[in-house]
Amino acid sequence: MDYEIVIGLEVHCQLLTETKIFCGCSTHFGNPPNQNTCPVCTGMPGALPVLSRKVVDFAIRAGLATACEITPSSVFARKNYFYPDLPKGYQISQFELPICLGGHLDIEVAGESKRIGITRIHMEEDAGKLVHPEHEHGVSYVDYNRACVPLIEIVSEPDMRSAAEAVAYLKAIREIMVYLGVCDGNMEEGSFRCDANISLRRWGAPKLGIRAELKNMNSFRNVQRAIDYEVERQMDILDGGGQVVQETRLWNVDRGISMSMRGKEEAHDYRYFPDPDLLPVVVDAAWIEEVRQSLPELPVAKRQRFLDDYAIPLADAEVLTADRAMADYFEAVVKLSSSPKLAANWIMVELMKFLNDDKIDITQCPVTPQSLAELLSLIEDGTISGKIGKQVFAQMYSAADNNPRKIVEDQGLAQMSDSGELEAMIDEIIAANGDKVTEYQQGKVKLFGFFVGQVMKKSKGQANPQMVNKLFKEKIG
Amino acid sequence: MELYNCTLEELWQRLEKGEVSSFEVTRSVFKRIAEVDETIAAYLEIDEKGALIQAESADERRRKGDATTPVTGIPLGLKDLLSTVGLKTTCGSKMLADYRPEYDATVVTRLREAGAVITGKLNMDEFAMGSSTENSAFNPTRNPWDRSRVPGGSSGGSTAAVASATAIATLGSDTGGSIRQPASFCGVVGMKPTYGRVSRYGLIAFASSLDQIGPVTLTVADAALLLGVIAGHDERDSTSVDTPVPDYYGNLKQDIKGLKIGVPKEYFGVGLDPEVEAAVRLGCRQLADAGAQFADVSLPHTDYAVATYYLLATAEASSNLARYDGVKYGFRAENTDGLLDMYRTTRAQGFGDEVKRRIMLGTYALSAGYYDAYYRKAQQVRTLITQDFNEVFADNDIIVAPVCPTPAFAFGEKIDDPLSMYLSDILTIPVNLAGLPAISVPCGFTKSGLPIGLQLIAKPFAEETLLRVAWHYEQMAGWAGRRPELVTKAVN
Ligand SMILES: [Zn+2]
């Protein structure tokens, strides 16, 4: 390709605080319209904002986790524009002096590690939501439940060079914010959303090309698709000798294309200025330290520790650390059982299958780490086979009985490892299949499987397969 | 003497002694309103029924021996930009002509808890933008001393009500002189506290970094009593300061010997009416007689104050007034075509000319490409103006100056010349830019019988000293409590 792709992302995270950023109203999602409101968040004349300390805590947390400097005195500014979902006619945000500056994040794409710069993180309030009822023509309603819900915006440097890098960065940011408990990371519901600034330039060109801003991409896949589409679009323009227009474009998921929303001429002049209703946000070293102490282990560090401590493959470590609760679950199981590898397999294959089928997450899993660990020790000591183990697990999951030992005992599922009993069974099978034994001994080795199968059938699957193999080998060579 | 003619201090003492009831006082005030408010037009809304109920419960409170305050049972009026549940709060604008707040401003809550009786809402320039109350969307208010003249503004209703005895005291708000200038025009006491001393929660904002609520009263002692009730930290206002409220009233009489008073030369320059200057100079001599030490001082950036103010105040206003868009409350234009047209028509019809002028000025000052030249530069000059005061206050306790270069002007005299109207605030604006407390105290009359005001300015949160000096001056000058002709006639 003749061009270098340059991408920067602006990520908005809705914070998981109980109350709004500038008033005491609940942030609870799904309440009837305008129930979570008060004079402050509906912009009543004379009402004033008061900053929630918790929001600052969360912003510092996000900043520390992405190696940012925390600004000792940051300033809220008003971003002025008119829209019915914006009750005051301005959004309280941060502009010249945001809470966090100059961080970075390492991502990995195709086995290569790359550092992406983070320009800034700032705090701001969300807007309300317009409701257009289907059956009432020419009428719209406004729901201010979401107005004043806290957000942080994380702005990257234009350091990404492909859609794959952009997605990797977005995934890494999402993973960290979810780990920190700062954001639930839900892209479909919009509590984690991103805008992408994309431009192309000829290789080696010192200046960045003219960029377009893409909005409305509500999944990782759509981010990838929208960027690919945009790169394609700009390339066609440049190849045709044209010039890219600076504009904001809206991604249309259904049609798989983006369309111009507004050009440079229609771009708002937001007339930012410091909000005189709020004092500068002063964060001292003690506050930063307090937040630092409360930071959880981050995914990258956890992944490395899993590799070092449990000797599981990298792919497993990645899956298990993708979710903090999942990682905690895994560690709880490992603490009580002797094989981390076995625990990893069971969680990733069996457990995740059940969770996915039920569309629930690990925190709602009916099988406790203790029960799973017990099941794994039954498998390891040969009491049951892996296959029976799956059967037992299904019963544990359906919560009929969470105690694997009891299930095995009650239903007589313990493996047959008694060599006398097995020998008798094998002798019987040899006697009943003399012709096949002869064929086997003449070289038709595939028949070995048939003999083993006969034993398993006769033992209702409870025969210890290793022992069966061993005994057959001894008897018929 | 009619009860409505009494000071707050007097009524408080008589109520405490049980000589009069709040019901009687309140009845008297409403009788007075009925007699004279038609000619003065200080009120936009009168709440006699509500007030009498509040008066009865204040009397009940005293009868039961429950704790009282100096304002328990006292009829007080409120500038119509203080949010009141149950009473319209119009801000002098068509935009909010029918707006009824769902919450009380913090000062209103404090007054209600203190047992005050709220008489009604007082006229003002629309969104507090103006110096004559001519910008009210509803009607002009007349100066009780000369009804052909303006009462000043923007708190013209608050000062005219006190001067015409239709309220015992009132609250106003001061962004660039909006309490002090009309107080001087109406011959009453008007005080602007330190920025952050009184909560702004529920005060409909004009310019958030400058607005401050303050008392308008007949005497300095009344101002001290009323400030004591409304001052104090409020967690709903981030800019309110958490510092103790001293006993302003109890400390008034401590002497002022040795206090240092500075006289800034820039405040006695070109354009100052000779009668105003003479009255203020006389006031200085009287204070000197009481033992204060005088010094000539300089506030060199005074000339830039008006320009600075009209950039910063309008910038903030352009944003503060964006919420009046016809979507949620207040006026919405009819028969509009789509969202943009609804915005445009609603704001074109809902705001008056002066408000629109200031929104445009402020929008311009914040616009891309102009921000540094105007808004940011004005903020830098604001710092210089504040430093001027800091330097003077390093050696002085109080600054003395006129309030306004001229006495009350005639209706229509300046309304078509915004610049000359803006310049009439030149002596009050620097105080707001620096966030200082200041007071206007009557200091005499012109030959034609118009009141003149003396301005005292103090260090941040030095209201106690400010009121003390004002009280001593008032005692010596002897202008306190003087009523206009109109009032005296009605009394007889
Ligand atoms: Zn709220």
Side-chain angles (χ1 to χ4, degrees):
Chain A
M1 191 165 59
D2 296 340
Y3 304 99
E4 184 183 29
I5 304 167
V6 178
I7 304 168
L9 293 183
E10 292 166 12
V11 178
H12 287 88
C13 305
Q14 200 177 89
L15 302 184
L16 285 170
T17 53
E18 304 267 301
T19 56
K20 295 185 176 183
I21 178 168
F22 298 123
C23 64
C25 290
S26 165
T27 54
H28 185 257
F29 183 77
N31 283 352
N34 296 310
Q35 184 172 301
N36 303 357
T37 62
C38 72
V40 176
C41 57
T42 50
M44 288 294 179
L48 297 171
V50 175
L51 176 63
S52 148
R53 192 183 154 94
K54 186 95 187 183
V55 170
V56 184
D57 266 339
F58 277 25
I60 298 173
R61 230 188 262 187
L64 292 178
T66 50
C68 287
E69 289 290 329
I70 309 300
T71 313
S73 178
S74 70
V75 172
F76 277 101
R78 293 186 184 176
K79 179 179 181 179
N80 295 284
Y81 66 95
F82 286 96
Y83 203 65
D85 66 4
L86 194 65
K88 299 185 290 295
Y90 57 84
Q91 179 195 27
I92 304 178
S93 181
Q94 296 193 300
F95 185 58
E96 283 185 347
L97 282 169
I99 179 106
C100 309
L101 283 168
H104 58 78
L105 186 66
D106 295 333
I107 59 166
E108 210 153 297
V109 176
E112 300 243 334
S113 177
K114 178 169 181 178
R115 176 156 290 188
I116 307 296
I118 289 173
T119 316
R120 55 186 276 155
I121 300 177
H122 66 250
M123 303 176 275
E124 63 187 22
E125 58 178 346
D126 209 342
K129 199 176 72 182
L130 288 190
V131 183
H132 307 288
E134 265 176 56
H135 305 294
E136 286 174 83
H137 184 69
V139 179
S140 298
Y141 294 93
V142 201
D143 176 3
Y144 291 118
N145 281 352
R146 207 180 61 189
C148 219
V149 162
L151 302 175
I152 52 172
E153 181 176 336
I154 305 166
V155 182
S156 84
E157 292 287 312
D159 285 349
M160 287 152 274
R161 294 291 174 269
S162 66
E165 286 185 13
V167 169
Y169 167 81
L170 197 59
K171 283 185 171 165
I173 285 278
R174 181 184 173 279
E175 189 178 61
I176 289 176
M177 296 307 144
V178 172
Y179 251 74
L180 294 172
V182 157
C183 176
D184 68 12
N186 190 325
M187 288 185 87
E188 285 76 25
E189 281 174 17
S191 50
F192 183 85
R193 47 192 194 254
C194 97
D195 303 334
N197 287 305
I198 301 158
S199 64
L200 302 186
R201 64 175 162 190
R202 292 218 172 259
W203 289 102
K207 263 178 64 184
L208 291 178
I210 295 164
R211 68 189 158 84
E213 186 184 10
L214 272 179
K215 284 181 180 293
N216 198 36
M217 303 163 288
N218 64 351
S219 67
F220 291 121
R221 186 163 164 266
N222 276 309
V223 171
Q224 170 97 40
R225 284 172 69 204
I227 293 175
D228 286 343
Y229 177 87
E230 182 58 22
V231 167
E232 211 49 43
R233 192 187 70 86
Q234 292 190 15
M235 211 150 41
D236 285 350
I237 293 172
L238 295 174
D239 283 345
Q243 261 208 329
V244 174
V245 181
Q246 187 176 332
E247 62 184 347
T248 303
R249 299 180 67 85
L250 217 55
W251 174 247
N252 185 315
V253 181
D254 299 327
R255 298 175 58 192
I257 61 169
S258 67
M259 280 170 299
S260 182
M261 188 170 114
R262 57 170 177 259
K264 194 183 175 185
E265 298 75 27
E266 305 141 77
H268 294 295
D269 177 0
Y270 290 119
R271 290 173 284 118
Y272 281 102
F273 74 106
D275 191 334
D277 287 331
L278 290 159
L279 303 176
V281 185
V282 176
V283 179
D284 60 13
W287 191 353
I288 296 172
E289 204 40 47
E290 186 192 314
V291 176
R292 199 190 300 278
Q293 296 301 326
S294 75
L295 285 184
E297 183 182 31
L298 291 176
V300 172
K302 199 182 277 285
R303 210 160 291 153
Q304 193 55 49
R305 189 167 57 80
F306 278 20
L307 294 179
D308 298 345
D309 291 4
Y310 306 127
I312 56 175
L314 177 63
D316 290 11
E318 276 173 356
V319 173
L320 290 170
T321 55
D323 177 349
R324 187 170 149 194
M326 184 64 80
D328 290 347
Y329 188 99
F330 167 73
E331 291 208 273
V333 174
V334 166
K335 225 171 250 162
L336 299 164
S337 67
S338 54
S339 168
K341 176 65 196 155
L342 189 66
N345 278 341
W346 269 78
I347 290 170
M348 284 165 39
V349 179
E350 236 16 57
L351 184 78
M352 283 191 184
K353 189 182 83 197
F354 278 87
L355 296 180
N356 287 341
D357 286 351
D358 286 356
K359 294 192 170 58
I360 59 172
D361 70 62
I362 187 73
T363 57
Q364 298 159 291
C365 177
V367 178
T368 64
Q370 291 73 15
S371 307
L372 180 59
E374 199 163 349
L375 176 67
L376 298 184
S377 60
L378 290 175
I379 294 166
E380 268 195 293
D381 68 16
T383 310
I384 56 173
S385 65
K387 202 175 155 207
I388 294 289
K390 286 179 185 178
Q391 203 180 308
V392 175
F393 181 80
Q395 292 187 43
M396 287 161 67
Y397 186 88
S398 67
D401 197 338
N402 223 321
N403 183 339
R405 203 169 287 280
K406 193 158 170 291
I407 294 171
V408 170
E409 275 169 23
D410 288 357
Q411 301 176 27
L413 298 173
Q415 215 160 218
M416 212 180 273
S417 300
D418 181 322
S419 59
E421 213 174 322
L422 281 175
E423 229 170 313
M425 218 179 267
I426 286 166
D427 288 343
E428 238 174 84
I429 288 163
I430 291 172
N433 296 285
D435 47 344
K436 290 213 167 62
V437 172
T438 316
E439 278 177 56
Y440 174 79
Q441 283 165 340
Q442 283 167 355
K444 207 168 177 188
V445 288
K446 277 183 184 167
L447 277 170
F448 193 77
F450 165 79
F451 297 125
V452 174
Q454 289 296 308
V455 182
M456 296 315 279
K457 201 171 157 192
K458 221 175 170 72
S459 69
K460 298 196 179 73
Q462 281 169 272
N464 182 327
Q466 280 89 39
M467 281 189 72
V468 174
N469 282 351
K470 189 169 147 264
L471 289 170
F472 260 116
K473 287 249 163 74
E474 281 169 16
K475 289 194 188 282
I476 58 177
Chain B
M1 189 164 75
E2 295 281 356
L3 291 170
Y4 60 70
N5 253 330
C6 297
T7 63
L8 194 164
E9 186 186 23
E10 237 176 302
L11 289 172
W12 169 42
Q13 284 159 2
R14 292 177 67 183
L15 283 165
E16 287 294 299
K17 287 182 194 146
E19 292 172 10
V20 292
S21 70
S22 171
F23 194 77
E24 290 168 302
V25 175
T26 306
R27 284 267 297 269
S28 169
V29 167
F30 278 97
K31 192 184 111 207
R32 178 65 174 173
I33 292 173
E35 282 167 8
V36 304
D37 197 55
E38 211 158 295
T39 57
I40 302 300
Y43 279 90
L44 289 176
E45 187 171 16
I46 297 167
D47 184 26
E48 182 165 6
K49 206 173 141 205
L52 288 171
I53 292 169
Q54 291 159 31
E56 278 179 326
S57 69
D59 287 334
E60 177 70 14
R61 185 162 162 174
R62 280 210 162 82
R63 245 196 318 278
K64 289 200 314 206
D66 292 348
T68 57
T69 72
V71 300
T72 306
I74 305 282
L76 303 174
L78 303 173
K79 187 176 182 178
D80 207 20
L81 46 51
L82 298 173
S83 302
T84 42
V85 172
L87 286 177
K88 279 196 286 193
T89 301
T90 69
C91 224
S93 180
K94 180 181 176 184
M95 193 60 99
L96 292 175
D98 295 309
Y99 168 65
R100 286 176 191 279
E102 58 173 72
Y103 75 103
D104 276 331
T106 295
V107 289
V108 175
T109 304
R110 291 200 172 156
L111 289 182
R112 289 195 205 278
E113 282 170 359
V117 172
I118 291 166
T119 54
K121 304 300 284 290
L122 297 158
N123 201 14
M124 55 184 284
D125 284 302
E126 184 179 8
F127 284 99
M129 296 176 185
S131 308
S132 66
T133 315
E134 289 167 287
N135 293 330
S136 164
F138 304 107
N139 52 262
T141 292
R142 294 178 185 282
N143 190 317
W145 294 90
D146 177 348
R147 283 182 287 152
S148 70
R149 291 181 185 265
V150 301
S154 64
S155 309
S158 300
T159 57
V162 173
S164 61
T166 54
I168 302 306
T170 61
L171 291 184
S173 69
D174 192 316
T175 306
S178 278
I179 288 176
R180 289 161 289 155
Q181 182 257 23
S184 81
F185 280 16
C186 290
V188 296
V189 173
M191 183 189 184
K192 175 211 145 354
T194 311
Y195 185 77
R197 180 70 290 184
V198 178
S199 168
R200 292 185 297 115
Y201 189 77
L203 159 76
I204 299 182
F206 159 18
S208 313
S209 75
L210 300 156
D211 296 341
Q212 191 64 194
I213 299 166
V216 177
T217 56
L218 207 57
T219 64
V220 174
D222 285 6
L225 288 169
L226 189 46
L227 180 64
V229 175
I230 59 169
H233 180 240
D234 177 15
E235 58 183 26
R236 287 179 183 275
D237 174 3
S238 311
T239 63
S240 106
V241 177
D242 193 0
T243 178
V245 178
D247 181 2
Y248 300 121
Y249 178 75
N251 295 329
L252 285 176
K253 295 177 186 172
Q254 282 178 32
D255 76 49
I256 57 166
K257 277 197 182 66
L259 270 183
K260 289 181 179 155
I261 299 183
V263 184
K265 61 171 193 263
E266 293 81 2
Y267 283 56
F268 292 83
V270 185
L272 183 61
D273 183 293
E275 286 189 281
V276 172
E277 176 162 7
V280 173
R281 297 270 187 212
L282 176 64
C284 293
R285 282 197 295 278
Q286 288 169 319
L287 280 167
D289 291 344
Q293 295 175 12
F294 275 79
D296 288 330
V297 298
S298 174
L299 296 163
H301 294 93
T302 303
D303 270 357
Y304 303 100
V306 172
T308 302
Y309 173 85
Y310 277 94
L311 288 170
L312 297 179
T314 57
E316 291 180 18
S318 72
S319 173
N320 282 333
L321 272 60
R323 67 188 64 194
Y324 309 108
D325 56 5
V327 173
K328 307 158 293 279
Y329 44 70
F331 173 74
R332 180 192 291 176
E334 310 218 335
N335 303 320
T336 55
D337 180 20
L339 181 64
L340 201 59
D341 189 42
M342 183 190 86
Y343 281 156
R344 283 185 177 144
T345 316
T346 295
R347 289 167 69 80
Q349 294 175 1
F351 289 136
D353 286 349
E354 183 60 28
V355 171
K356 280 185 242 178
R357 177 162 32 237
R358 295 199 194 188
I359 290 173
M360 285 188 280
L361 268 174
T363 303
Y364 188 75
L366 290 174
S367 296
Y370 298 97
Y371 183 89
D372 287 337
Y374 295 123
Y375 183 84
R376 199 189 300 277
K377 186 60 76 183
Q379 285 291 19
Q380 289 164 345
V381 178
R382 182 179 190 171
T383 305
L384 294 176
I385 289 169
T386 307
Q387 283 170 358
D388 280 357
F389 280 107
N390 291 346
E391 277 168 35
V392 170
F393 281 128
D395 304 317
N396 294 276
D397 303 292
I398 292 285
I399 290 170
V400 66
V403 177
C404 186
T406 65
F409 46 86
F411 282 101
E413 194 179 322
K414 299 193 177 190
I415 196 72
D416 295 324
D417 184 359
L419 199 58
S420 94
M421 186 81 93
Y422 294 174
L423 285 169
S424 75
D425 297 336
I426 189 162
L427 306 177
T428 46
I429 277 174
V431 162
N432 297 78
L433 290 170
L436 304 170
I439 192 166
S440 169
V441 192
C443 75
F445 291 85
T446 62
K447 285 192 203 78
S448 56
L450 295 174
I452 302 169
L454 174 100
Q455 182 173 212
L456 298 167
I457 304 164
K459 298 173 193 177
F461 297 98
E463 281 85 358
E464 201 182 333
T465 312
L466 181 69
L467 287 161
R468 189 150 53 92
V469 174
W471 185 84
H472 280 273
Y473 169 72
E474 184 186 63
Q475 300 304 306
M476 282 181 298
W479 302 110
R482 203 174 265 222
R483 295 288 195 180
E485 193 74 3
L486 161 90
V487 180
T488 321
K489 264 184 197 151
V491 174
N492 293 336

